[in-house]
Amino acid sequence: MAISSFYLSSMARVLEQVILSAFFITSLALTVKSIFGMHVPSPLFPSSRSWQDAVAAKVAADNAKIPEEWLLDREVIDAAKSRSAIAGDFIESLLDNQTYQITSMDVPDLLQAIGEKRLKAVEVVTAFCKRAAFAHQLSNLLLEIGFDIALRRAQELDDYFEKHGKLIGPLHGIPLTLKDQFHIKGLETSMAFVGWIGTFEGKTGTGKERVLESQLIKELHALGAVPIGKTTLVQSIWAPETNNNILGYAWNPYNQRLSTGGSSGGEGAMQALRGSAFGIGTDIGGSVSMPASFQGVFSLKPSAGRLSFKDVANTGRGQEIMPTVAGIMAHSVATLQLVFRSLISTEPWLNDPYCLPIPWRSEKEYDSGREKLPAFGFMPNDGLVSPHPPIARALNIVQKALEESGYQLLDWNPPSNNESIEIHGPIARGDGCPDVYDAIRASGEPIVPEIAHLFPSGKLKPPIPLPEYEQVVLHMKDFRARWNEYWASSAKRTTSALPVQAVISPVTPYAAVLPGKFYHSPYTSVLNVLDYTGIVLPITFAQKEIDTVDPNFEPLTEKDKMNMDSYDAEVYHGAPAAIQLIGRRLDEERLLSMAELVVKAVEKYKAKHGEMA
């Protein structure tokens, strides 16, 4: 006889409480023994409990939250592992018609259907929870599963609509997933550290466990959005690939020989598999932009201060010179704009002192009725590392599309990314990452290979001296000033006599990346150094027949040669190829409207010349 979803969810919550209690008992026992030297009877999970046991218990508790009727057969999971791609046709073949129809809709269409009572919030949330459950079983993406909490909230939203005749907010009933740094009531936050399982950021008895909520979550709740789970990330956040000791390495759903990217790789993969309607990640060096580009989804990395980061788990939390920001992943520019504008409408600066009091500024959006066609900067490479052939072709498509639509493109040669490399690392990790080291040591779990370089021979690096750190900050200030001057000077080269409105560049050199072969991140990390805005636009997919290395290729640098030598057209076949639009600091409204222009120009170009032009 089938076990009910309610029974499974109840049992999952009981199991979670047992695990939490066990961690608390263990911690208390060890504390008493340490302070008083007393003999303490062995707790439920003795101190000899391994980190592997902790992981096994957590994974079992999480997976118990998946209703029985959503469990995939072993044959399906094995078949998925043998395939190159599981995004698109494969996962869609597993869905019933209603789930497929709902999860194929973008956010504006879902909102219209809910508002017109063609769909209920419960139907929408159920469909995405089911698809997210499938995505998780195929790819190990969810560090936290909150389907039961989400469905209760969806019913509350339906009841509110029925009673009041209006939607609770502009994101009413829209399911989302978030990187496992955001605190949600009823769920824990491990941030991929085994030692944080059953704790609040590695501590017990704080009273915040499963209670405290990040400010962004409160805002999403007020807007009517429904979180359904939290996605995997790299141990520490400090790598462009996603790997941890809880869920393992995250593989790209479009090409399972390649990486999801990082550190928000789990969220990128969840969006590729459309397990939620949109996603939230975090970014301090491209951690939203890179996974979005590798998985063929749209993303927005705003400047610091536009979206709240209050009460979000993080590493390097005392570093505020170049802060981590929350970013959005979605399936269209329209959804990026809707989510960003909705969050801004909550006036986050009233509750987060680090948010700037800047409401949505409609006057900054491009208006074709009163403005000339904008000009764009075009940077096909940064003079250090050339993009792989699929990315070069994506850039070429965008260049030709904009030129055919009448836009002016200027060659873009700003201050060198070599300088941003000298700035980013020392500011982001100049302390030697002691918080990461302590979080890893708390459980005895190993350091994953992707961050081993941070801890030579497994040891902490000493922090850089404060005077040296201050010199790096001064370098950053000078670098920002020269970039700003270069941008302003572009007005001398445009036919409109106005500066370029956005810059087109690679997101990375890669259409996704082979594990261990990520060599160059400044295309995105420079945006964090500058505090600029970035939008990722998916353009095409790698094609082995046409995306080959030019036999006359001349490397720009030794790193460029190493990077291009790592490219294999056969291996990369089918991987998404994206570009990024760069906007000036705090210029999100303008950049979103520029992104719409680029998307329309590319669509028009493809309609005329074909998808692979």
Side-chain angles (χ1 to χ4, degrees):
M1 186 170 69
I3 302 173
S4 71
S5 301
F6 176 78
Y7 177 78
L8 282 169
S9 297
S10 299
M11 289 302 296
R13 289 194 292 273
V14 170
L15 181 56
E16 288 173 334
Q17 290 305 314
V18 169
I19 293 167
L20 280 170
S21 300
F23 273 104
F24 176 73
I25 292 168
T26 301
S27 177
L28 179 61
L30 293 174
T31 302
V32 170
K33 183 176 181 180
S34 172
I35 296 174
F36 299 107
M38 296 170 55
H39 171 72
V40 181
S42 296
L44 181 60
F45 294 133
S47 58
S48 61
R49 169 191 170 95
S50 69
W51 68 264
Q52 293 97 329
D53 292 336
V55 167
K58 174 177 174 53
V59 170
D62 284 344
N63 288 342
K65 293 181 177 182
I66 300 175
E68 184 184 32
E69 59 269 27
W70 294 352
L71 295 176
L72 296 174
D73 292 337
R74 171 50 58 184
E75 293 80 5
V76 173
I77 296 173
D78 290 343
K81 291 178 180 177
S82 68
R83 294 177 58 87
S84 174
I86 57 172
D89 292 345
F90 182 79
I91 191 169
E92 289 169 1
S93 72
L94 307 176
L95 305 175
D96 60 89
N97 185 62
Q98 183 180 29
T99 301
Y100 169 73
Q101 293 295 334
I102 291 173
T103 57
S104 298
M105 298 169 69
D106 198 10
V107 172
D109 298 321
L110 288 168
L111 286 166
Q112 183 176 357
I114 293 171
E116 294 174 354
K117 297 189 176 181
R118 290 184 283 113
L119 286 174
K120 292 182 177 292
V122 165
E123 293 174 316
V124 173
V125 172
T126 298
F128 277 99
C129 285
K130 181 176 183 179
R131 187 157 179 167
F134 287 6
H136 174 64
Q137 292 171 78
L138 297 174
S139 293
N140 280 341
L141 298 179
L142 289 171
L143 279 166
E144 291 294 318
I145 294 173
F147 301 154
D148 54 344
I149 299 171
L151 287 168
R152 288 197 298 272
R153 177 57 177 161
Q155 187 59 61
E156 290 173 2
L157 293 170
D158 283 336
D159 293 344
Y160 179 93
F161 191 19
E162 183 67 28
K163 180 178 180 179
H164 299 282
K166 62 179 182 179
L167 302 180
I168 204 166
L171 298 177
H172 181 112
I174 302 301
L176 74 145
T177 44
L178 307 95
K179 187 179 186 179
D180 190 26
Q181 290 179 252
F182 295 87
H183 295 299
I184 299 175
K185 187 175 182 179
L187 301 177
E188 67 181 38
T189 303
S190 72
M191 217 180 96
F193 292 123
V194 177
W196 282 22
I197 296 172
T199 74
F200 179 80
E201 299 183 7
K203 299 175 183 178
T204 57
T206 66
K208 297 179 180 179
E209 294 88 343
R210 297 174 175 246
V211 175
L212 182 137
E213 287 199 312
S214 302
Q215 179 61 33
L216 192 77
I217 298 299
K218 295 177 182 178
E219 294 165 7
L220 289 164
H221 187 272
L223 294 166
V226 184
I228 65 173
K230 297 196 289 176
T231 49
T232 190
L233 62 152
V234 70
Q235 179 194 64
S236 82
I237 78 169
W238 294 123
E241 300 172 54
T242 292
N243 189 16
N244 59 64
N245 293 311
I246 301 174
L247 294 179
Y249 196 90
W251 299 97
N252 193 307
Y254 279 104
N255 183 330
Q256 294 193 101
R257 288 181 286 186
L258 304 176
S259 172
T260 61
S263 62
S264 308
E267 193 54 51
M270 184 60 76
Q271 293 308 309
L273 293 166
R274 296 190 78 106
S276 67
F278 70 94
I280 303 289
T282 68
D283 194 303
I284 191 174
S287 290
V288 166
S289 302
M290 289 188 286
S293 71
F294 291 175
Q295 261 92 201
V297 298
F298 296 79
S299 72
L300 168 66
K301 183 214 82 71
S303 295
R306 292 306 302 267
L307 298 180
S308 176
F309 210 74
K310 182 182 177 184
D311 293 327
V312 178
N314 202 18
T315 55
R317 295 184 68 177
Q319 188 276 108
E320 285 293 329
I321 298 295
M322 187 182 68
T324 308
V325 299
I328 305 163
M329 297 187 196
H331 300 283
S332 67
V333 175
T335 295
L336 292 178
Q337 185 189 82
L338 174 62
V339 174
F340 183 74
R341 185 172 186 168
S342 297
L343 287 166
I344 295 297
S345 75
T346 67
E347 300 183 322
W349 52 87
L350 298 179
N351 296 295
D352 183 348
Y354 288 91
C355 271
L356 299 171
I358 304 175
W360 178 267
R361 299 161 295 178
S362 298
E363 67 276 9
K364 290 183 69 68
E365 297 178 72
Y366 176 71
D367 184 346
S368 60
R370 61 179 176 82
E371 295 186 62
K372 298 177 181 178
L373 284 181
F376 293 86
F378 186 70
M379 187 172 71
N381 67 70
D382 64 356
L384 302 175
V385 175
S386 307
H388 281 173
I391 304 302
R393 183 165 58 84
L395 287 162
N396 190 50
I397 289 171
V398 173
Q399 180 184 21
K400 289 180 177 179
L402 289 173
E403 288 175 343
E404 280 198 9
S405 292
Y407 296 98
Q408 184 184 12
L409 272 65
L410 301 183
D411 291 339
W412 199 251
N413 298 291
S416 173
N417 272 349
N418 259 337
E419 291 191 66
S420 73
I421 295 170
E422 296 169 0
I423 296 165
H424 185 273
I427 288 181
R429 296 178 297 277
D431 62 352
C433 305
D435 53 350
V436 173
Y437 191 70
D438 290 345
I440 293 171
R441 290 185 67 197
S443 68
E445 65 173 309
I447 297 169
V448 297
E450 290 73 17
I451 65 166
H453 65 284
L454 300 179
F455 307 106
S457 302
K459 304 295 184 182
L460 270 174
K461 290 181 181 178
I464 64 175
L466 182 58
E468 183 179 331
Y469 186 87
E470 290 178 340
Q471 287 302 310
V472 176
V473 173
L474 290 175
H475 187 183
M476 182 182 77
K477 293 176 71 174
D478 177 65
F479 183 69
R480 287 183 173 185
R482 285 183 285 115
W483 245 91
N484 189 62
E485 289 166 4
Y486 180 81
W487 194 303
S489 72
S490 65
K492 299 174 184 177
R493 296 192 287 148
T494 63
T495 56
S496 65
L498 296 172
V500 299
Q501 298 301 296
V503 175
I504 297 156
S505 88
V507 186
T508 70
Y510 318 104
V513 70
L514 285 164
K517 301 291 185 181
F518 193 105
Y519 301 124
H520 196 64
S521 62
Y523 284 112
T524 53
S525 61
V526 70
L527 272 64
N528 301 88
V529 171
L530 296 168
D531 197 23
Y532 277 5
T533 302
I535 291 177
V536 169
L537 302 177
I539 302 299
T540 187
F541 291 87
Q543 295 293 316
K544 61 185 178 182
E545 298 85 4
I546 58 176
D547 292 324
T548 56
V549 178
D550 188 333
N552 297 317
F553 171 73
E554 293 287 341
L556 302 166
T557 60
E558 281 300 313
K559 184 192 283 189
D560 194 23
K561 181 181 186 306
M562 179 175 64
N563 178 71
M564 198 60 75
D565 286 346
S566 72
Y567 178 71
D568 184 323
E570 187 76 31
V571 171
Y572 275 84
H573 181 73
I579 62 97
Q580 77 176 340
L581 282 185
I582 301 170
R584 297 167 99 169
R585 183 171 181 264
L586 303 172
D587 208 19
E588 290 81 9
E589 295 90 342
R590 187 70 169 179
L591 193 64
L592 284 162
S593 61
M594 292 297 107
E596 286 282 14
L597 295 180
V598 174
V599 169
K600 289 176 181 176
V602 169
E603 289 174 348
K604 181 180 176 182
Y605 179 83
K606 286 183 176 181
K608 181 178 179 181
H609 299 282
E611 219 27 62
M612 298 299 148

